Amino acid sequence: MAANLLQNIKTPADLRKLGISQLPELAKELRAFIIDVVSVKEGHLGASLGVVELTIALHYVFDTPNDLLVWDVGHQAYGHKILTERKDRFHTNRQLGGISGFPKRSESVYDTFGVGHSSTSISAALGMAIASQLKGEDKHHIAVIGDASIASGMAFEGLNHAGVTDANLLVILNDNAIGIDPSVGALKNYLTTVKEGKNPKQNNMIKSLNFDYSGPIDGHDFEALIFEMERLKNVKGPKFLHIITTKGKGLQQAEEDQVRYHAPGKFNAATGEIHSKSEAHLPAKFQDVFGWTLVELATKNPKIIGITPAMPSGSSLKFMMEAFPDRAFDVGIAEQHAVTLAAGMATQGMVVFCNIYSTFLQRAYDQVIHDVALQDLPVIFCLDRAGLVGEDGATHHGVYDLAYLRCIPNMIIYAPKDEIDLRNILYTASLGLNHPIAIRYPRGRGKYLNYELQIANSEFQNIEIGKAHLLKSGTKIAVLSTGFIGNNVTLAIQKIANRNEIAHYDFGFVKPLDETLLHEIFAKFETLITIEDGVINGGFGSAVVEFASKNKYSTTIKTLGIPDVFIEHGTVAALQKICGIDVDSLASVLSSL
């Protein structure tokens, strides 16, 4: 029986006591450990399995944490966490109060840079390398980046700068031909030719940027990895190591279905089989409602275009890509490009649906302002994963969009309260608007149990822009909610004894606000409560407070939403409770008034 090497490793210093011949056994144990925990606790599986040998080799060759290691995005950092003092806590990964699913500086000295969004590693590691130079420190600085992330503009900016420095920087390209979905674009094709040996050495684009290029080498071969890393430790200036890996390595199903096993949910650790959940009686996911509706609309309107930056599966734009491949585009991890591409198409009369996760639209903020809103182009932004997203935590919560979009002139902002509203606003936008619109909707399922029966066969309804609606009459208190979180309000009102005192209004449009209805509400009620699943500062509640101030209303206003702190990881239900916007917390507030 083989010795359990992993149980004796607490830190990389313990790892370095092993012989190279022992490392394959350690890799086997590390993979098994990751699979055992993630199969029960869920998380990002495929990426971490693919870099097990690389992770071990990095900590074996380099003197971490003195040498600084930056992981791009961080989906692949589970092995890194296990080898750096967190093996005993790894079972708490992504759970409330547990360790983060991404590298995080406050969590460990080995996590040199907080990540979660792609393509930041080269810039961060270069910054560290230049700082070390200025301080006279002799350190190595390593950025590990994937082939999908290196195609992003920010990665090229980092490479461009690094190439004219003499910084002690090593960029390792983890080339597995996939991010979450398969990599796309001309750079992906270039890397394929390099891997196949069809690219002449003198035509190496990395070398042309003044990097010492080596590879490609097998990223699962310890001897090759360690030999090359040891050699590169003695090479001055910026270096680039191209390695080839297989995402999901070591679990057959994860290797064969890399998209599904990126984050497969719970599965059988022995067989790899994903635990199936019956979805027959569950509401549809908002992302699927978007995808199905877009195909339905595009069938009737040849001017409709779909765009997503590297999220065709996550956003369900894949449905349109299958139905209308000439009119649906995955542009890779390139949010800035996606937005301006949409703007360019809009100038030519196309009806463009640009689907980006709320947290990732932050990466294209200037393009939203300068290229879309300033020119008043009717781009339709579909912001998936708005609000609290759960276990991915602070880097992925889509809680800032209401605040960062509301201040932009010409921008319409709408938050559907359910799947029917989402279908109808997509239809309304497809008919042609005079301004850009952002439609934000949550991760997960809606509320209607039978999509086909209750929604899909219903007639589209045109939504009046800027119109709010009374959902329930009341005599004393007005509750104003926006978006899907309003369903929590409905349930909370049903639980309390003084429910007849509570009026509930749905403000789907955060901009423009229904000021006519607001005047009626302020004239009738002495107490108002606003509720949103975005940040309180600058959000929907702030808009209502600004209206009250402008019109000199003295009404008491209480704003509920995401407080002025970064919300960490946990289930959506647990995080809503922390923020005081879950059903029980809302019922408690309403019953106390």
Side-chain angles (χ1 to χ4, degrees):
M1 184 175 178
N4 190 331
L5 301 175
L6 185 59
Q7 73 176 359
N8 296 317
I9 295 176
K10 304 294 183 186
T11 72
D14 299 323
L15 167 64
R16 295 174 199 129
K17 297 173 185 176
L18 300 178
I20 294 178
S21 63
Q22 294 176 286
L23 299 185
E25 172 60 28
L26 176 62
K28 182 178 178 181
E29 293 177 15
L30 183 55
R31 276 199 175 89
F33 188 87
I34 293 171
I35 289 169
D36 284 345
V37 175
V38 177
S39 68
V40 176
K41 301 295 184 179
E42 304 187 10
H44 295 104
L45 178 69
S48 288
L49 293 183
V51 296
V52 164
E53 287 85 4
L54 174 62
T55 303
I56 292 171
L58 283 167
H59 286 294
Y60 191 79
V61 171
F62 293 99
D63 182 25
T64 54
N66 181 59
D67 290 333
L68 302 176
L69 173 60
V70 182
W71 297 94
D72 206 272
V73 184
H75 286 150
Q76 75 281 58
Y78 288 2
H80 160 81
K81 292 202 171 204
I82 292 164
L83 296 175
T84 55
E85 303 177 334
R86 286 164 282 184
K87 180 170 77 260
D88 294 341
R89 290 191 291 145
F90 186 65
H91 66 281
T92 71
N93 185 45
R94 303 173 79 245
Q95 298 180 38
L96 186 66
I99 64 173
S100 171
F102 301 93
K104 185 177 179 182
R105 293 185 71 232
S106 61
E107 186 177 293
S108 171
V109 68
Y110 292 93
D111 293 357
T112 62
F113 199 76
V115 293
H117 291 187
S118 84
S119 314
T120 62
S121 60
I122 297 173
S123 298
L126 177 60
M128 296 171 183
I130 293 173
S132 292
Q133 270 188 334
L134 294 172
K135 293 191 293 181
E137 295 175 343
D138 184 18
K139 291 184 177 183
H140 294 284
H141 311 83
I142 308 101
V144 180
I145 187 167
D147 55 284
S149 295
I150 204 168
S152 178
M154 185 176 179
F156 273 98
E157 293 171 17
L159 290 169
N160 184 54
H161 182 194
V164 294
T165 73
D166 59 353
N168 189 11
L169 172 69
L170 170 60
V171 175
I172 298 179
L173 173 61
N174 174 36
D175 186 357
N176 58 20
I178 189 168
I180 294 176
D181 289 280
S183 302
V184 298
L187 183 62
K188 174 252 185 141
N189 295 337
Y190 166 80
L191 293 172
T192 299
T193 64
V194 172
K195 285 185 284 188
E196 294 175 350
K198 297 176 182 177
N199 179 65
K201 291 291 184 181
Q202 65 270 23
N203 190 32
N204 187 296
M205 64 181 293
I206 303 300
K207 281 188 172 183
S208 70
L209 293 173
N210 297 327
F211 277 75
D212 185 296
Y213 173 89
S214 60
I217 64 172
D218 183 353
H220 303 299
D221 182 334
F222 275 115
E223 290 192 359
L225 283 171
I226 292 172
F227 175 84
E228 195 57 26
M229 287 182 190
E230 289 286 4
R231 185 187 75 81
L232 289 170
K233 284 170 70 172
N234 298 310
V235 174
K236 302 296 183 184
K239 295 146 312 244
F240 192 100
L241 174 59
H242 185 174
I243 71 168
I244 311 302
T245 63
T246 300
K247 188 171 182 178
K249 180 75 171 177
L251 185 65
Q252 182 179 348
Q253 291 87 341
E255 292 184 35
E256 294 174 351
D257 191 350
Q258 296 176 335
V259 173
R260 193 176 184 200
Y261 280 80
H262 171 74
K266 293 178 181 176
F267 63 95
N268 186 304
T271 67
E273 182 180 359
I274 295 174
H275 295 325
S276 60
K277 300 176 184 177
S278 174
E279 298 188 356
H281 301 293
L282 293 175
K285 295 177 181 178
F286 273 95
Q287 68 189 56
D288 288 342
V289 175
F290 160 79
W292 295 327
T293 305
L294 192 59
V295 170
E296 191 176 348
L297 296 171
T299 301
K300 300 173 183 176
N301 185 348
K303 290 188 175 182
I304 287 179
I305 302 288
I307 297 174
T308 184
M311 289 294 176
S313 295
S315 70
S316 291
L317 189 69
K318 63 182 180 182
F319 300 142
M320 185 174 176
M321 293 174 73
E322 293 165 358
F324 302 100
D326 293 339
R327 291 195 277 142
F329 303 90
D330 174 6
V331 300
I333 303 176
E335 292 86 0
Q336 297 177 352
H337 167 61
V339 171
T340 304
L341 177 70
M345 289 182 171
T347 67
Q348 301 305 302
M350 307 308 282
V351 180
V352 190
F353 289 79
C354 186
N355 188 300
I356 301 181
Y357 288 9
S358 171
T359 186
F360 297 146
L361 187 64
Q362 295 162 188
R363 297 161 63 92
Y365 191 55
D366 181 64
Q367 286 71 28
V368 172
I369 295 175
H370 185 274
D371 298 339
V372 177
L374 181 60
Q375 303 185 89
D376 210 5
L377 295 171
V379 173
I380 304 158
F381 294 105
C382 300
L383 305 190
D384 198 343
R385 272 59 166 186
L388 296 164
V389 298
E391 290 83 355
D392 280 345
T395 58
H396 282 60
H397 294 314
V399 296
Y400 306 104
D401 50 18
L402 294 178
Y404 73 66
L405 292 173
R406 193 172 69 83
C407 62
I408 302 175
N410 295 331
M411 183 66 68
I412 300 169
I413 306 171
Y414 183 79
K417 72 178 183 304
D418 56 35
E419 308 95 298
I420 294 175
D421 281 355
L422 175 57
R423 268 177 57 83
N424 286 334
I425 194 63
L426 293 172
Y427 166 74
T428 301
S430 76
L431 298 177
L433 297 174
N434 295 322
H435 307 287
I437 183 171
I439 304 165
R440 49 111 61 187
Y441 48 93
R443 179 184 187 183
R445 300 184 182 277
K447 68 179 186 181
Y448 293 99
L449 293 178
N450 191 319
Y451 176 82
E452 292 295 332
L453 182 64
Q454 296 175 282
I455 303 172
N457 295 322
S458 63
E459 294 245 343
F460 283 116
Q461 301 293 321
N462 199 348
I463 293 179
E464 183 180 348
I465 302 299
K467 182 70 174 174
H469 302 280
L470 173 67
L471 298 179
K472 178 192 171 298
S473 298
T475 59
K476 183 179 177 183
I477 299 159
V479 178
L480 283 56
S481 64
T482 184
F484 191 64
I485 198 69
N487 295 288
N488 279 13
V489 177
T490 298
L491 294 172
I493 291 173
Q494 292 171 358
K495 294 184 68 169
I496 61 178
N498 61 328
R499 65 178 67 93
N500 292 334
E501 298 178 346
I502 311 295
H504 182 197
Y505 295 85
D506 170 43
F507 275 73
F509 288 98
V510 172
K511 186 176 183 178
L513 282 173
D514 188 341
E515 294 196 351
T516 300
L517 184 57
L518 277 177
H519 280 298
E520 295 176 12
I521 293 170
F522 275 94
K524 181 175 180 180
F525 299 95
E526 294 183 0
T527 301
L528 265 67
I529 299 176
T530 66
I531 298 171
E532 59 200 296
D533 59 351
V535 291
I536 295 172
N537 291 349
F540 167 61
S542 289
V544 175
V545 171
E546 290 163 14
F547 171 86
S549 176
K550 181 176 72 174
N551 292 281
K552 297 182 171 54
Y553 286 114
S554 58
T555 308
T556 298
I557 304 173
K558 183 177 181 64
T559 57
L560 298 177
I562 310 302
D564 191 25
V565 295
F566 287 108
I567 304 300
E568 298 299 341
H569 49 279
T571 64
V572 171
L575 300 182
Q576 284 186 354
K577 187 173 185 64
I578 289 171
C579 296
I581 55 175
D582 63 300
V583 173
D584 289 341
S585 297
L586 292 176
S588 177
V589 169
L590 294 175
S591 62
S592 67
L593 296 173

Short mmCIF file of all heavy atoms in Angstrom, two decimals, residues 44-72:
data_model
loop_
_atom_site.label_atom_id
_atom_site.label_comp_id
_atom_site.label_asym_id
_atom_site.label_seq_id
_atom_site.Cartn_x
_atom_site.Cartn_y
_atom_site.Cartn_z
N HIS A 44 -15.39 24.40 -8.32
CA HIS A 44 -14.77 24.38 -9.64
C HIS A 44 -13.79 23.21 -9.70
O HIS A 44 -12.72 23.26 -9.11
CB HIS A 44 -14.07 25.71 -9.91
CG HIS A 44 -15.03 26.85 -10.00
ND1 HIS A 44 -15.18 27.77 -8.98
CD2 HIS A 44 -15.88 27.23 -10.98
CE1 HIS A 44 -16.10 28.65 -9.34
NE2 HIS A 44 -16.53 28.36 -10.54
N LEU A 45 -14.17 22.19 -10.43
CA LEU A 45 -13.41 20.93 -10.41
C LEU A 45 -12.36 20.84 -11.51
O LEU A 45 -11.18 20.64 -11.26
CB LEU A 45 -14.38 19.76 -10.54
CG LEU A 45 -13.74 18.37 -10.59
CD1 LEU A 45 -13.14 18.02 -9.23
CD2 LEU A 45 -14.77 17.33 -11.02
N GLY A 46 -12.79 20.97 -12.77
CA GLY A 46 -11.93 20.66 -13.90
C GLY A 46 -10.64 21.42 -13.94
O GLY A 46 -9.57 20.86 -14.22
N ALA A 47 -10.69 22.73 -13.66
CA ALA A 47 -9.49 23.56 -13.75
C ALA A 47 -8.43 23.13 -12.75
O ALA A 47 -7.24 23.07 -13.07
CB ALA A 47 -9.87 25.03 -13.53
N SER A 48 -8.85 22.82 -11.52
CA SER A 48 -7.88 22.41 -10.50
C SER A 48 -7.28 21.05 -10.80
O SER A 48 -6.09 20.82 -10.55
CB SER A 48 -8.55 22.42 -9.12
OG SER A 48 -8.78 23.75 -8.67
N LEU A 49 -8.07 20.12 -11.33
CA LEU A 49 -7.53 18.81 -11.69
C LEU A 49 -6.49 18.94 -12.79
O LEU A 49 -5.50 18.20 -12.82
CB LEU A 49 -8.65 17.88 -12.15
CG LEU A 49 -9.68 17.45 -11.10
CD1 LEU A 49 -10.68 16.47 -11.73
CD2 LEU A 49 -9.02 16.81 -9.89
N GLY A 50 -6.68 19.89 -13.69
CA GLY A 50 -5.78 20.03 -14.82
C GLY A 50 -4.40 20.56 -14.49
O GLY A 50 -3.46 20.38 -15.26
N VAL A 51 -4.27 21.23 -13.33
CA VAL A 51 -2.97 21.85 -13.00
C VAL A 51 -2.33 21.22 -11.76
O VAL A 51 -1.49 21.84 -11.12
CB VAL A 51 -3.11 23.38 -12.79
CG1 VAL A 51 -3.53 24.06 -14.08
CG2 VAL A 51 -4.06 23.70 -11.65
N VAL A 52 -2.70 20.00 -11.42
CA VAL A 52 -2.14 19.36 -10.23
C VAL A 52 -0.61 19.26 -10.33
O VAL A 52 0.12 19.63 -9.40
CB VAL A 52 -2.78 17.98 -10.00
CG1 VAL A 52 -1.94 17.14 -9.04
CG2 VAL A 52 -4.19 18.14 -9.45
N GLU A 53 -0.10 18.74 -11.45
CA GLU A 53 1.36 18.62 -11.59
C GLU A 53 2.02 20.00 -11.59
O GLU A 53 3.08 20.19 -10.97
CB GLU A 53 1.70 17.87 -12.89
CG GLU A 53 1.43 16.38 -12.85
CD GLU A 53 0.00 16.03 -13.17
OE1 GLU A 53 -0.78 16.96 -13.52
OE2 GLU A 53 -0.36 14.85 -13.10
N LEU A 54 1.41 20.95 -12.30
CA LEU A 54 1.97 22.30 -12.33
C LEU A 54 2.01 22.91 -10.94
O LEU A 54 3.02 23.52 -10.54
CB LEU A 54 1.13 23.19 -13.26
CG LEU A 54 1.50 24.67 -13.28
CD1 LEU A 54 2.93 24.87 -13.78
CD2 LEU A 54 0.51 25.47 -14.12
N THR A 55 0.95 22.74 -10.18
CA THR A 55 0.88 23.30 -8.83
C THR A 55 1.98 22.72 -7.94
O THR A 55 2.69 23.46 -7.23
CB THR A 55 -0.50 23.00 -8.20
OG1 THR A 55 -1.52 23.54 -9.04
CG2 THR A 55 -0.61 23.59 -6.80
N ILE A 56 2.11 21.42 -7.97
CA ILE A 56 3.15 20.77 -7.17
C ILE A 56 4.54 21.23 -7.61
O ILE A 56 5.40 21.57 -6.78
CB ILE A 56 3.03 19.23 -7.29
CG1 ILE A 56 1.74 18.75 -6.61
CG2 ILE A 56 4.24 18.54 -6.66
CD1 ILE A 56 1.42 17.29 -6.85
N ALA A 57 4.77 21.27 -8.92
CA ALA A 57 6.08 21.67 -9.44
C ALA A 57 6.43 23.10 -9.06
O ALA A 57 7.58 23.41 -8.70
CB ALA A 57 6.11 21.51 -10.96
N LEU A 58 5.46 24.00 -9.12
CA LEU A 58 5.71 25.41 -8.77
C LEU A 58 6.17 25.54 -7.32
O LEU A 58 7.16 26.23 -7.02
CB LEU A 58 4.45 26.24 -9.00
CG LEU A 58 4.14 26.60 -10.46
CD1 LEU A 58 2.71 27.14 -10.58
CD2 LEU A 58 5.13 27.63 -10.98
N HIS A 59 5.46 24.90 -6.42
CA HIS A 59 5.82 24.99 -5.01
C HIS A 59 7.07 24.18 -4.68
O HIS A 59 7.74 24.44 -3.68
CB HIS A 59 4.65 24.55 -4.13
CG HIS A 59 3.53 25.54 -4.06
ND1 HIS A 59 3.67 26.79 -3.47
CD2 HIS A 59 2.26 25.49 -4.54
CE1 HIS A 59 2.52 27.44 -3.56
NE2 HIS A 59 1.65 26.69 -4.21
N TYR A 60 7.40 23.22 -5.52
CA TYR A 60 8.60 22.40 -5.34
C TYR A 60 9.85 23.15 -5.77
O TYR A 60 10.88 23.10 -5.10
CB TYR A 60 8.45 21.12 -6.17
CG TYR A 60 9.48 20.05 -5.90
CD1 TYR A 60 9.38 19.21 -4.80
CD2 TYR A 60 10.54 19.84 -6.78
CE1 TYR A 60 10.31 18.21 -4.56
CE2 TYR A 60 11.47 18.84 -6.56
CZ TYR A 60 11.36 18.03 -5.45
OH TYR A 60 12.29 17.04 -5.21
N VAL A 61 9.75 23.88 -6.87
CA VAL A 61 10.90 24.58 -7.45
C VAL A 61 11.11 25.96 -6.83
O VAL A 61 12.25 26.36 -6.53
CB VAL A 61 10.74 24.70 -8.98
CG1 VAL A 61 11.82 25.62 -9.57
CG2 VAL A 61 10.78 23.33 -9.62
N PHE A 62 10.03 26.67 -6.62
CA PHE A 62 10.15 28.05 -6.13
C PHE A 62 9.96 28.12 -4.62
O PHE A 62 9.27 27.29 -4.01
CB PHE A 62 9.14 28.95 -6.85
CG PHE A 62 9.44 29.12 -8.31
CD1 PHE A 62 8.76 28.36 -9.27
CD2 PHE A 62 10.41 30.02 -8.74
CE1 PHE A 62 9.06 28.50 -10.61
CE2 PHE A 62 10.71 30.16 -10.09
CZ PHE A 62 10.03 29.40 -11.03
N ASP A 63 10.55 29.14 -4.04
CA ASP A 63 10.55 29.30 -2.58
C ASP A 63 9.33 30.12 -2.14
O ASP A 63 9.45 31.23 -1.63
CB ASP A 63 11.85 30.00 -2.15
CG ASP A 63 11.94 30.16 -0.63
OD1 ASP A 63 11.31 29.35 0.09
OD2 ASP A 63 12.64 31.09 -0.18
N THR A 64 8.16 29.56 -2.38
CA THR A 64 6.94 30.24 -1.93
C THR A 64 6.85 30.14 -0.41
O THR A 64 7.26 29.13 0.17
CB THR A 64 5.70 29.59 -2.56
OG1 THR A 64 5.72 28.18 -2.29
CG2 THR A 64 5.64 29.84 -4.06
N PRO A 65 6.37 31.16 0.29
CA PRO A 65 5.77 32.40 -0.21
C PRO A 65 6.76 33.54 -0.46
O PRO A 65 6.32 34.64 -0.81
CB PRO A 65 4.80 32.77 0.90
CG PRO A 65 5.51 32.34 2.15
CD PRO A 65 6.23 31.05 1.77
N ASN A 66 8.07 33.31 -0.27
CA ASN A 66 9.04 34.38 -0.56
C ASN A 66 9.00 34.71 -2.06
O ASN A 66 8.95 35.88 -2.45
CB ASN A 66 10.44 33.95 -0.15
CG ASN A 66 11.47 35.04 -0.42
OD1 ASN A 66 11.35 36.15 0.09
ND2 ASN A 66 12.46 34.74 -1.26
N ASP A 67 9.01 33.68 -2.90
CA ASP A 67 8.75 33.90 -4.32
C ASP A 67 7.23 34.06 -4.48
O ASP A 67 6.46 33.35 -3.82
CB ASP A 67 9.24 32.71 -5.15
CG ASP A 67 10.77 32.62 -5.18
OD1 ASP A 67 11.42 33.68 -5.04
OD2 ASP A 67 11.30 31.50 -5.34
N LEU A 68 6.84 34.95 -5.35
CA LEU A 68 5.43 35.37 -5.41
C LEU A 68 4.73 34.72 -6.59
O LEU A 68 5.13 34.88 -7.74
CB LEU A 68 5.34 36.89 -5.49
CG LEU A 68 6.03 37.63 -4.32
CD1 LEU A 68 5.98 39.14 -4.53
CD2 LEU A 68 5.37 37.26 -3.01
N LEU A 69 3.66 34.00 -6.28
CA LEU A 69 2.90 33.24 -7.27
C LEU A 69 1.50 33.82 -7.40
O LEU A 69 0.77 33.93 -6.40
CB LEU A 69 2.84 31.77 -6.83
CG LEU A 69 1.95 30.81 -7.62
CD1 LEU A 69 2.39 30.74 -9.07
CD2 LEU A 69 1.99 29.43 -6.97
N VAL A 70 1.10 34.18 -8.63
CA VAL A 70 -0.22 34.74 -8.89
C VAL A 70 -0.98 33.82 -9.84
O VAL A 70 -0.50 33.52 -10.94
CB VAL A 70 -0.14 36.15 -9.51
CG1 VAL A 70 -1.54 36.71 -9.73
CG2 VAL A 70 0.69 37.09 -8.63
N TRP A 71 -2.15 33.39 -9.42
CA TRP A 71 -3.02 32.56 -10.26
C TRP A 71 -4.04 33.44 -10.95
O TRP A 71 -4.73 34.23 -10.29
CB TRP A 71 -3.75 31.52 -9.41
CG TRP A 71 -2.87 30.54 -8.72
CD1 TRP A 71 -2.38 30.62 -7.45
CD2 TRP A 71 -2.36 29.31 -9.27
NE1 TRP A 71 -1.60 29.52 -7.17
CE2 TRP A 71 -1.58 28.70 -8.26
CE3 TRP A 71 -2.51 28.67 -10.49
CZ2 TRP A 71 -0.94 27.48 -8.46
CZ3 TRP A 71 -1.87 27.46 -10.69
CH2 TRP A 71 -1.10 26.86 -9.69
N ASP A 72 -4.18 33.32 -12.26
CA ASP A 72 -5.19 34.09 -12.96
C ASP A 72 -6.57 33.49 -12.74
O ASP A 72 -6.73 32.27 -12.77
CB ASP A 72 -4.88 34.12 -14.47
CG ASP A 72 -5.46 35.34 -15.14
OD1 ASP A 72 -6.63 35.27 -15.58
OD2 ASP A 72 -4.75 36.35 -15.22
#
